[in-house]
Amino acid sequence: ATLAGGASAETSVPFALDWKFEGPSAPYFAAIDNGHFAAADLDVEISPGRGSLDAIPKVATGAFPIGFADINSLIKFLDQNPGAPVTAVMMIYDKPPFAVVGRKSLGVSAPKDLEGRVLGAPPPDGAWAQFPAFASANGLDMSKITVEPVGFPTREPMLAEGNVAAVTGFSFSSFLNLVRLGVPEDDISTILMADYGLELYGNAIIVNTDFAAANPEVVTGFLAAVAAGWKDAIADPAKAIESLVERNPAADAALETRRLQLAIDANVATDAVMANGLGGVDAARMEKALAQLAETYEFQNAPDASLYFTDAYLPDASARMLK
Amino acid sequence: MTLRAVLVPLAALVIFGLLWELLVWANGWPNYKMASPSDLWPAFWKFRWLFLEYGWDTLWRTVVGLLVAVIFGVGLGMIMGFSRLMRDALYPLLVGFNAIPKATVVPIIALLFVGQHDMNTILIAFLISFFPIAVSVSIGLSTLEPEYRDILRSLGASNLTIFWKIALPKTLPEFFGALKVAVTLAFIGTNLMEIVEPHGRGLGHLFDSGKISADYPLMFAVLIALALMGILLYYVVVALEKIFAGWAERSPT
Amino acid sequence: MTLRAVLVPLAALVIFGLLWELLVWANGWPNYKMASPSDLWPAFWKFRWLFLEYGWDTLWRTVVGLLVAVIFGVGLGMIMGFSRLMRDALYPLLVGFNAIPKATVVPIIALLFVGQHDMNTILIAFLISFFPIAVSVSIGLSTLEPEYRDILRSLGASNLTIFWKIALPKTLPEFFGALKVAVTLAFIGTNLMEIVEPHGRGLGHLFDSGKISADYPLMFAVLIALALMGILLYYVVVALEKIFAGWAERSPT
Amino acid sequence: MTNLIEIKGVRHAYKTQDGPLPVLDGLDVSVPEGGFVAVVGPSGCGKSTLTRLIAGLMKPDEGEVRLHGDLVKGPKSTVGMAFQNPVLLEWRTILKNVMLPLEIVPNRLSAREKEDRARELLALVGLEGFEEKRPSELSGGMRQRASLCRAIVHKPEVLILDEPFGALDAFTREDLWQTMLKVKEREPFTGVLITHDLRESIFLADQVVVLSGRPARTQYVMDVHLGAERTLDDLYTPETAEALNTLRHQIQIAQGRAPEVAA
Amino acid sequence: MTNLIEIKGVRHAYKTQDGPLPVLDGLDVSVPEGGFVAVVGPSGCGKSTLTRLIAGLMKPDEGEVRLHGDLVKGPKSTVGMAFQNPVLLEWRTILKNVMLPLEIVPNRLSAREKEDRARELLALVGLEGFEEKRPSELSGGMRQRASLCRAIVHKPEVLILDEPFGALDAFTREDLWQTMLKVKEREPFTGVLITHDLRESIFLADQVVVLSGRPARTQYVMDVHLGAERTLDDLYTPETAEALNTLRHQIQIAQGRAPEVAA
Ligand SMILES: Nc1ncnc2c1ncn2[C@@H]1O[C@H](COP(=O)(O)OP(=O)(O)OP(=O)(O)O)[C@@H](O)[C@H]1O
Ligand SMILES: Nc1ncnc2c1ncn2[C@@H]1O[C@H](COP(=O)(O)OP(=O)(O)OP(=O)(O)O)[C@@H](O)[C@H]1O
Ligand SMILES: [Mg+2]
Ligand SMILES: [Mg+2]
């Protein structure tokens, strides 16, 4: 799996993103453009994806040695496909972006407000999948909430039209889409589930375990570069976005800067991360997260936290500090 | 003859299944790359009631959409077949419309008719499948041999009569060919709606559920169920064809 | 005649555009529900270079996929047209395969041939568009009037010769009809790959970008660009048809 | 005398890629009500074109075609036509093929009566037992006979026959001549018969029109003086022999094989 | 004497929905090399079926069909056939239609030579000037002539003609008879001619075979004793008149109109 690229001795490492080239993927491009990967002798090519469930198999089959995906999806994947050679090695979204986005003018500004109102939810939506756990943590009576299944493309337009009072979705995406649709920003209430009792973790860097076992130093170098990329992006989001727009000329720079900033503030640069550095998980919280997952998902096998995350490849905490 | 008509396709299906199993087995592909037929039975069995219920949802909407497509397609085909002007004017518009991926039309429809899930699904199945039918009818009409047309024209028959008595029967083999294509497209249309704008019904929804829980055998099982339903509908078309256009089949000797 | 052949479709397009504008205007629909033609110009203008570059990506992959589909479809159609056994055996499999939404096949292909974006895109364009061609060729062959066939058979001609000299020319009008359907399907295939498995090229990617930044006029502009490219390719097919199957067009008098 | 069919000074040219091909060039034919005119002429001179003009399937470039004094503007259901090429609808049985005009031309027959009429005609032309067969299961001559039945099944006022007996052997043909006379007596019609059999033209028609070579004009018209009751023996009289000779000579002129002298 | 075509005890029935329809029932025909046999018989008796058997397009249920002593197993490129229905390929010009066999049957002609040959034949049958027309622009008789050209263009060893002159007027037809004799002299072939014109059969053939009504068997065989150099005057000799009479009588027997007496 180590391909020496011609004249340079760089190791080629394809990196599978979970989603398209949006603001929150700018830090990885920044890591390339600022030479962090090159410093670790890595030649990284980033590929967009169609969701976590696209990125995970890409890494599990070995097509990509490293990827980026939601750890909750990974847990389910490993439960359904025991022994698949994939695991998470670095937590990026300390708080998952799972959110309920409502409109104050339609009466939604806190979890309790959902009762008696219509909630739009795309069934395959990651945020919707956590909603039951969120509901039980907040003591919501599910029977009082009318859930309307909606499609991804129509989710925000339906809210903008007032067909539903709130939707489930990723905090940064739904918020910005609504703004684009002409909903006043102060009318939008973003209820981040992680702020209301949801203990789950969010997206993490995942690796093919076979690859990682064979190239531990490559993985560690990669993770250090990622941390550096995030650090740069937090310091100067606009510059990071420039790296992104270079890859996707059709992207709207202002919008993506905004999206990146939202992700940084709500999901990445949390208090815990600022204190301990990017990438680690807390074993106690992980146990709670697994328990919450079990509320919504029926495990085929007994959950085992060690299968899903390992800190074996994490670089020193000093290399992971965001400031 | 009838036995053969059943055995040959069945044998083909079995051979195909075996080859598939072999391919997966030989490559040692994991489920999430490609599931093999033997993995699918448990999925089918576990969700057998849902398969029946959702399968029925998908089926009836597809059939209704297809019926609308047949009616509309035949009408449109007649207009284009009889009038060169309309053919010149409408063909490019239709081709343009059909070159637009229907997946992108789904949200527009869903937003236009919020909540009308059945209607929306039927609408997409219809929109995606009428074109081949219109094309085949229009070609059948515009290439109708003048000798045939003259037989009826000399009797003072109207264009509509010419269509019913000559053009339609003569063009039936092509029409049924187009219908076979339309059947497959209508299925795609129904599922597109069920997957892109989920509303908790139909096999598309089941596929989605499989995707959410990363249950790859279930996803493959849904696809196979779709294929089987397509085949089912195909045989309905074949039966109709036997009745209405059996004369057209030429034996080689 | 040639003037008319240009003016009529153009007039139809303009009338269609006006009706659309009127519809949006009369209903007062917001952009995200349905953009109107007048909203699209800024989007076109702003991204004109990207439209050209990505449009070319989409076009050439579509054309290559279509060519493969023509070759494969004609071959398959010949096999099914000449042999009843193969027809009975293959038709159900093909219908089943085609009833599976290609959007769900895209990830499987993408996973099988990682990184081969061009090939994957062409593959999907091909997979989605060969069926109508195979059907039309197979029907043309199996319904070939024995009188025509006998002319060549009596000279001791092989099946292949019969196909080239009689079956193919005689079935050309239907073949071109199928090609017109296939053109639209191939476009859908290319875009499916570009949208579902993003790799930063093609109009599908531009659409996706529009979606990400909720730029509805851009999304509609991409769809219109796709439609126009479909129409462009349609006229290429029409030109070929004029050359090869002009005889089949019957004037009504 | 009122002429049911009146053709005056008709000119027609087909538009082809290499310019117009003049086919009819000054054609005059008139058929009184109840009359039967045979048209003969060299192959390719324009006889079938003439039938299409009378049937209203085409309009002449110049001149007039009138039925009952009215200009022919389009096809009429009172016209029956047997085309030179007996195209039968392959997806219908012979019986259903013959019944086709009855499905289209307004009439008051019940389904039963329609079928009876078609069966009767088929029996008349010797196709009993083939009613339920498909056209592809018939021989060339049998198809021609079925097409003849289709032309007359709806008792048309005007009957146009384009070489209706071309594919038949001498005896079947002579049988059908007599059948046609019988039919005409029972259900009178005004007829135009295209043929290349001069004896046939004399036996069936009241008048024989000889067309010149392409572009065709009316070159010669001969009245036939056989009574309504004709037998095959009438074909072997000296008068008939003379008439046949005159016609042969005229056609030779039409083909440019003999010098044109006043007949 | 070696017979090039040898048909012995051939029986054939078509499978139809109402059971088998026996068409040939004990057919014997033999044609020596260079011979020309005419086959006559009532409409629908099985003449076209016979041609299909000789051409190898069908196999008989019983009996043998041999060419050069070998059982016919399938179509051969040394056979030329003019079908009763002169199907031309609509998408080709007349010239290209006639050239079709030259494209398929192996030969050493250059493109130029092929075209020259086709043009020559078209001129021979009076279709000069129509080489570049489409079949739909031709009259019935002209199509038939084109189809005749197609049958002989590749100089087949065996030529099967199924009523090749049916749609032609008497003079064009007689012209073509003479043309055929000339062609045969220049490019000898062994021929089978289906016709319903008895004078045609006598003028062209060395032997006339009369088939009985369906199911057909060989009912009568007559040798024609006209020399190789035939003129139309030969048709008006007393011998020919007698031969014609005999044939007429035989066909009447075939149609069940006259009692069968030893001829
Ligand atoms: N659709 C057409 N387009 C162009 N030319 C045509 C068309 N139909 C007929 N012709 C030409 O018109 C002439 C007369 O044709 P028509 O069919 O009337 O002849 P006809 O007298 O019926 O001959 P035949 O006895 O051989 O049937 C022919 O030279 C033919 O080539
Ligand atoms: N494909 C077929 N299927 C069934 N029956 C057929 C088929 N072809 C011919 N027949 C029947 O076989 C008989 C003989 O047909 P054939 O065409 O050989 O007659 P023919 O002697 O050529 O007559 P004609 O002089 O009218 O052309 C007819 O009764 C016809 O109905
Ligand atoms: Mg004619
Ligand atoms: Mg015959």
Side-chain angles (χ1 to χ4, degrees):
Chain A
T2 45
L3 295 171
S8 75
E10 289 184 340
T11 311
S12 159
V13 184
F15 178 45
L17 279 186
D18 65 327
W19 196 238
K20 298 157 187 167
F21 294 171
E22 289 189 358
S25 47
Y28 311 111
F29 294 112
I32 295 178
D33 291 357
N34 298 344
H36 299 311
F37 284 123
D41 275 342
L42 298 178
D43 175 20
V44 174
E45 195 194 331
I46 303 178
S47 294
R50 292 175 304 108
S52 295
L53 280 169
D54 174 48
I56 296 170
K58 277 181 187 164
V59 174
T61 55
F64 286 80
I66 304 189
F68 182 62
D70 173 32
I71 194 162
N72 304 294
S73 302
L74 179 72
I75 293 168
K76 290 180 195 171
F77 181 87
L78 282 170
D79 184 51
Q80 294 277 348
N81 302 280
V86 56
T87 193
V89 289
M90 182 190 215
M91 185 56 58
I92 301 294
Y93 293 169
D94 186 50
K95 280 193 202 170
F98 309 137
V100 173
V101 179
R103 284 177 64 185
K104 293 180 184 143
S105 60
L106 295 174
V108 178
S109 35
K112 259 303 183 210
D113 298 336
L114 291 172
E115 289 183 359
R117 298 209 158 75
V118 185
L119 174 71
D125 181 37
W128 166 243
Q130 319 308 338
F131 191 81
F134 166 75
S136 78
N138 290 278
L140 300 184
D141 182 353
M142 284 297 283
S143 67
K144 289 196 186 142
I145 302 173
T146 316
V147 178
E148 172 78 25
V150 297
F152 289 112
T154 43
R155 169 169 58 190
E156 286 86 14
M158 297 251 309
L159 183 57
E161 296 242 303
N163 291 313
V164 294
V167 297
T168 63
F170 282 16
S171 49
F172 41 77
S173 297
S174 286
F175 175 82
L176 286 176
N177 283 342
L178 281 171
V179 173
R180 272 290 159 122
L181 294 178
V183 180
E185 280 186 37
D186 52 12
D187 189 25
I188 303 171
S189 53
T190 307
I191 305 168
L192 197 66
M193 292 183 184
D195 293 340
Y196 291 87
L198 200 72
E199 300 288 352
L200 302 184
Y201 279 102
N203 286 32
I205 304 285
I206 58 173
V207 294
N208 183 294
T209 47
D210 298 339
F211 173 85
N215 308 280
E217 71 295 342
V218 170
V219 175
T220 305
F222 186 93
L223 297 184
V226 165
W230 273 102
K231 188 175 173 186
D232 294 349
I234 290 168
D236 187 353
K239 182 151 177 288
I241 290 301
E242 273 171 30
S243 301
L244 174 80
V245 172
E246 201 177 299
R247 268 64 173 205
N248 180 9
D252 179 331
L255 184 78
E256 297 308 337
T257 313
R258 188 86 205 273
R259 205 193 302 270
L260 173 60
Q261 194 60 56
L262 284 170
I264 291 170
D265 294 346
N267 310 113
V268 180
T270 58
D271 299 342
V273 169
M274 294 320 274
N276 306 323
L278 184 68
V281 304
D282 173 59
R285 183 178 157 195
M286 193 68 180
E287 284 309 321
K288 275 192 245 166
L290 287 175
Q292 275 186 339
L293 261 189
E295 285 181 42
T296 58
Y297 172 77
E298 192 188 330
F299 277 91
Q300 311 280 313
N301 307 291
D304 174 2
S306 68
L307 289 176
Y308 316 133
F309 186 89
T310 170
D311 56 9
Y313 303 100
L314 278 180
D316 288 342
S318 61
R320 300 187 275 117
M321 294 313 289
L322 295 180
K323 269 196 249 170
Chain B
M1 199 61 190
T2 30
L3 193 71
R4 191 168 161 271
V6 174
L7 282 186
V8 169
L10 221 64
L13 278 176
V14 169
I15 291 172
F16 174 76
L18 286 179
L19 284 180
W20 177 9
E21 183 84 46
L22 200 72
L23 184 78
V24 174
W25 178 81
N27 282 289
W29 281 333
N31 266 347
Y32 45 85
K33 192 156 188 174
M34 197 180 278
S36 62
S38 56
D39 298 330
L40 305 184
W41 293 120
F44 268 123
W45 188 246
K46 185 163 162 208
F47 294 101
R48 60 193 179 279
W49 299 118
L50 282 183
F51 267 102
L52 280 184
E53 188 188 332
Y54 288 166
W56 169 243
D57 284 336
T58 299
L59 190 63
W60 80 256
R61 289 147 150 186
T62 306
V63 171
V64 173
L66 203 58
L67 287 181
V68 180
V70 167
I71 295 169
F72 182 81
V74 168
L76 192 67
M78 279 179 69
I79 293 172
M80 294 200 301
F82 277 122
S83 155
R84 217 201 132 77
L85 184 79
M86 292 313 262
R87 189 152 68 247
D88 282 350
L90 291 182
Y91 240 121
L93 284 182
L94 287 174
V95 169
F97 173 71
N98 280 282
I100 294 176
K102 288 301 157 304
T104 62
V105 177
V106 165
I108 301 174
I109 300 271
L111 271 183
L112 282 183
F113 310 103
V114 171
Q116 308 288 328
H117 296 311
D118 284 342
M119 187 184 105
N120 287 344
T121 313
I122 291 168
L123 197 61
I124 285 288
F126 151 66
L127 283 179
I128 206 171
S129 63
F130 78 89
F131 188 52
I133 297 174
V135 168
S136 90
V137 170
S138 114
I139 289 176
L141 280 175
S142 63
T143 62
L144 185 64
E145 284 93 341
E147 298 95 59
Y148 282 97
R149 193 190 298 248
D150 282 351
I151 292 171
L152 278 205
R153 280 184 66 220
S154 74
L155 292 164
S158 66
N159 265 353
L160 197 70
T161 314
I162 292 181
F163 175 76
W164 279 117
K165 301 277 179 187
I166 307 252
L168 186 65
K170 189 147 172 47
T171 213
L172 269 188
E174 284 84 23
F175 172 79
F176 276 109
L179 202 55
K180 287 172 195 167
V181 174
V183 162
T184 68
L185 290 178
F187 262 108
I188 293 184
T190 319
N191 276 282
L192 217 56
M193 195 58 159
E194 288 169 358
I195 293 180
V196 176
E197 281 296 326
H199 45 263
R201 302 204 63 74
L203 286 181
H205 170 67
L206 200 57
F207 181 84
D208 240 17
S209 314
K211 202 155 104 181
I212 296 170
S213 45
D215 186 345
Y216 289 88
L218 176 58
M219 289 159 72
F220 275 92
V222 171
L223 295 186
I224 295 305
L226 282 173
L228 290 178
M229 272 165 52
I231 293 174
L232 178 77
L233 221 52
Y234 160 78
Y235 278 112
V236 173
V237 173
V238 166
L240 291 174
E241 187 179 11
K242 279 259 163 61
I243 297 172
F244 290 112
W247 56 271
E249 179 89 19
R250 318 294 178 153
S251 49
T253 345
Chain C
M1 199 64 189
T2 29
L3 194 72
R4 191 170 161 271
V6 174
L7 283 185
V8 169
L10 220 65
L13 277 177
V14 169
I15 292 173
F16 174 77
L18 287 178
L19 283 180
W20 176 11
E21 182 84 43
L22 200 74
L23 183 80
V24 174
W25 179 79
N27 282 288
W29 281 332
N31 264 348
Y32 56 85
K33 200 154 187 176
M34 196 180 278
S36 63
S38 55
D39 298 331
L40 305 185
W41 292 121
F44 269 124
W45 188 245
K46 184 164 162 208
F47 293 102
R48 60 192 178 281
W49 298 119
L50 284 182
F51 267 103
L52 281 184
E53 187 189 333
Y54 289 168
W56 169 243
D57 285 337
T58 299
L59 190 64
W60 78 257
R61 289 148 152 183
T62 305
V63 171
V64 174
L66 202 59
L67 287 181
V68 180
V70 168
I71 294 168
F72 181 80
V74 168
L76 193 66
M78 278 178 70
I79 293 173
M80 294 201 300
F82 277 122
S83 154
R84 216 201 132 74
L85 184 78
M86 292 314 264
R87 191 151 68 247
D88 284 349
L90 291 182
Y91 240 121
L93 284 181
L94 287 174
V95 169
F97 173 72
N98 279 282
I100 294 177
K102 288 301 157 302
T104 60
V105 178
V106 166
I108 299 174
I109 300 265
L111 211 51
L112 282 183
F113 309 104
V114 172
Q116 309 287 329
H117 295 312
D118 284 342
M119 185 183 108
N120 287 343
T121 313
I122 291 167
L123 197 62
I124 284 288
F126 150 65
L127 283 179
I128 206 171
S129 64
F130 78 89
F131 188 51
I133 297 173
V135 168
S136 89
V137 170
S138 116
I139 290 177
L141 279 176
S142 63
T143 63
L144 185 64
E145 284 91 342
E147 297 95 60
Y148 283 96
R149 192 191 297 247
D150 281 351
I151 291 171
L152 278 207
R153 280 186 65 221
S154 74
L155 292 164
S158 67
N159 265 352
L160 198 71
T161 314
I162 293 181
F163 175 77
W164 279 117
K165 300 278 177 185
I166 308 251
L168 186 66
K170 186 140 176 56
T171 215
L172 268 188
E174 284 83 24
F175 171 80
F176 277 110
L179 202 55
K180 287 171 194 166
V181 174
V183 162
T184 69
L185 290 179
F187 262 108
I188 294 186
T190 320
N191 275 283
L192 215 57
M193 196 57 156
E194 288 169 358
I195 294 181
V196 176
E197 279 295 327
H199 48 262
R201 301 204 65 76
L203 286 180
H205 169 66
L206 199 57
F207 181 85
D208 226 27
S209 307
K211 204 156 96 181
I212 291 174
S213 39
D215 187 345
Y216 288 87
L218 175 58
M219 289 160 72
F220 275 92
V222 171
L223 296 188
I224 295 306
L226 281 174
L228 291 178
M229 272 165 54
I231 293 175
L232 177 78
L233 220 52
Y234 159 79
Y235 278 112
V236 173
V237 173
V238 167
L240 291 175
E241 188 179 10
K242 278 259 163 61
I243 297 170
F244 291 111
W247 57 271
E249 180 88 20
R250 316 297 179 150
S251 49
T253 346
Chain D
M1 187 169 107
T2 49
N3 281 330
L4 205 165
I5 308 175
E6 185 80 58
I7 297 171
K8 254 195 221 148
V10 159
R11 278 165 212 279
H12 192 75
Y14 283 105
K15 284 165 208 65
T16 71
Q17 281 167 317
D18 353 302
L21 176 82
V23 171
L24 300 178
D25 181 30
L27 201 68
D28 300 293
V29 179
S30 43
V31 191
E33 182 146 4
F36 204 159
V37 165
V39 177
V40 297
S43 173
C45 74
K47 302 182 294 295
S48 298
T49 307
L50 171 64
T51 63
R52 294 175 59 83
L53 290 174
I54 303 176
L57 291 174
M58 270 175 22
K59 280 193 198 113
D61 290 349
E62 266 180 59
E64 314 182 329
V65 180
R66 289 176 188 274
L67 288 188
H68 281 303
D70 301 331
L71 270 183
V72 170
K73 296 235 175 69
K76 281 198 172 169
S77 64
T78 53
V79 175
M81 184 152 174
F83 292 87
Q84 185 168 12
N85 184 10
V87 183
L88 300 174
L89 313 186
E90 316 158 54
W91 55 93
R92 289 177 168 232
T93 62
I94 300 304
L95 184 71
K96 290 266 178 198
N97 258 291
V98 172
M99 284 168 68
L100 182 72
L102 296 177
E103 293 171 19
I104 289 157
V105 173
N107 63 64
R108 298 192 174 183
L109 298 182
S110 68
R112 213 353 336 118
E113 285 167 329
K114 287 179 188 170
E115 191 177 324
D116 286 348
R117 165 114 184 118
R119 280 183 189 277
E120 182 204 4
L121 287 178
L122 282 171
L124 220 53
V125 301
L127 287 181
E128 214 160 9
F130 286 87
E131 291 90 348
E132 302 302 332
K133 295 262 190 287
R134 303 269 163 187
S136 64
E137 294 176 323
L138 259 57
S139 80
M142 292 159 89
R143 271 179 237 182
Q144 209 172 26
R145 285 180 265 163
S147 147
L148 181 67
C149 294
R150 186 176 60 192
I152 60 178
V153 71
H154 57 301
K155 302 188 185 173
E157 191 183 3
V158 172
L159 183 60
I160 306 170
L161 305 175
D162 195 351
E163 307 201 10
F165 312 116
L168 299 174
D169 61 294
F171 288 98
T172 311
R173 177 187 296 222
E174 286 166 5
D175 270 2
L176 284 181
W177 292 352
Q178 280 163 320
T179 307
M180 282 311 291
L181 289 182
K182 254 184 280 167
V183 168
K184 188 164 189 317
E185 205 166 294
R186 230 174 46 188
E187 307 157 2
F189 57 78
T190 305
V192 175
L193 169 76
I194 311 293
T195 180
H196 48 77
D197 182 335
L198 298 181
R199 297 191 321 131
E200 179 172 301
S201 71
I202 288 184
F203 186 74
L204 285 176
D206 313 318
Q207 197 177 57
V208 181
V209 175
V210 180
L211 300 189
S212 72
R214 176 162 28 87
R217 44 182 185 75
T218 308
Q219 173 183 307
Y220 182 78
V221 177
M222 168 191 276
D223 285 323
V224 178
H225 297 292
L226 298 177
E229 290 287 323
R230 303 174 180 198
T231 65
L232 285 175
D233 293 335
D234 291 338
L235 289 178
Y236 298 95
T237 61
E239 291 86 26
T240 320
E242 206 198 299
L244 278 174
N245 256 336
T246 315
L247 288 178
R248 286 179 68 90
H249 181 67
Q250 284 297 334
I251 292 186
Q252 277 185 305
I253 296 173
Q255 292 188 315
R257 287 156 203 265
E260 186 160 357
V261 289
Chain E
M1 187 168 108
T2 50
N3 282 328
L4 204 165
I5 308 175
E6 185 81 57
I7 298 172
K8 253 196 219 148
V10 159
R11 279 162 212 281
H12 192 76
Y14 282 106
K15 283 167 209 61
T16 72
Q17 281 167 319
D18 353 303
L21 177 82
V23 171
L24 300 178
D25 182 28
L27 201 69
D28 301 293
V29 179
S30 43
V31 191
E33 182 144 4
F36 204 158
V37 166
V39 178
V40 299
S43 172
C45 74
K47 302 184 291 298
S48 298
T49 308
L50 171 63
T51 64
R52 294 174 59 81
L53 290 175
I54 302 176
L57 291 173
M58 269 176 19
K59 277 192 200 114
D61 291 347
E62 266 178 59
E64 314 182 327
V65 180
R66 289 176 188 274
L67 290 187
H68 281 303
D70 299 332
L71 270 184
V72 170
K73 295 232 175 72
K76 284 201 171 167
S77 63
T78 52
V79 175
M81 185 153 173
F83 291 87
Q84 184 168 14
N85 185 10
V87 183
L88 300 175
L89 313 186
E90 315 160 54
W91 54 92
R92 288 175 166 234
T93 61
I94 300 303
L95 184 71
K96 290 265 177 199
N97 259 287
V98 171
M99 285 167 67
L100 181 71
L102 296 179
E103 295 171 18
I104 289 157
V105 174
N107 62 65
R108 296 187 174 186
L109 298 182
S110 69
R112 188 73 266 135
E113 286 167 327
K114 287 178 189 173
E115 192 177 322
D116 286 347
R117 165 111 183 121
R119 280 183 189 279
E120 180 204 6
L121 287 178
L122 282 170
L124 219 54
V125 300
L127 287 181
E128 213 159 12
F130 286 86
E131 290 90 349
E132 301 302 331
K133 296 262 188 286
R134 303 266 164 189
S136 64
E137 296 176 321
L138 259 57
S139 80
M142 291 157 89
R143 271 178 240 182
Q144 209 171 25
R145 284 180 265 161
S147 146
L148 182 67
C149 294
R150 186 176 58 194
I152 60 179
V153 71
H154 58 300
K155 305 190 186 173
E157 189 182 6
V158 173
L159 184 61
I160 306 171
L161 304 173
D162 195 350
E163 306 201 9
F165 312 115
L168 300 174
D169 61 294
F171 288 98
T172 311
R173 178 186 299 221
E174 286 167 5
D175 272 1
L176 284 181
W177 292 351
Q178 280 162 318
T179 307
M180 281 311 292
L181 288 183
K182 253 184 281 164
V183 168
K184 189 164 185 323
E185 207 165 295
R186 227 174 47 192
E187 306 157 3
F189 58 79
T190 306
V192 175
L193 168 76
I194 311 291
T195 179
H196 47 76
D197 183 333
L198 298 182
R199 297 194 317 134
E200 180 170 303
S201 70
I202 288 183
F203 186 74
L204 285 177
D206 314 316
Q207 194 178 58
V208 180
V209 175
V210 181
L211 298 189
S212 72
R214 176 163 26 86
R217 44 182 187 77
T218 307
Q219 175 185 301
Y220 182 78
V221 178
M222 169 189 274
D223 286 323
V224 179
H225 298 291
L226 300 176
E229 291 286 323
R230 302 173 183 201
T231 65
L232 285 175
D233 293 335
D234 290 338
L235 290 177
Y236 298 95
T237 61
E239 290 85 27
T240 317
E242 205 200 298
L244 277 174
N245 256 335
T246 314
L247 287 177
R248 285 180 69 88
H249 182 67
Q250 282 298 333
I251 292 186
Q252 276 184 306
I253 294 174
Q255 292 188 316
R257 286 156 202 267
E260 185 160 357
V261 285

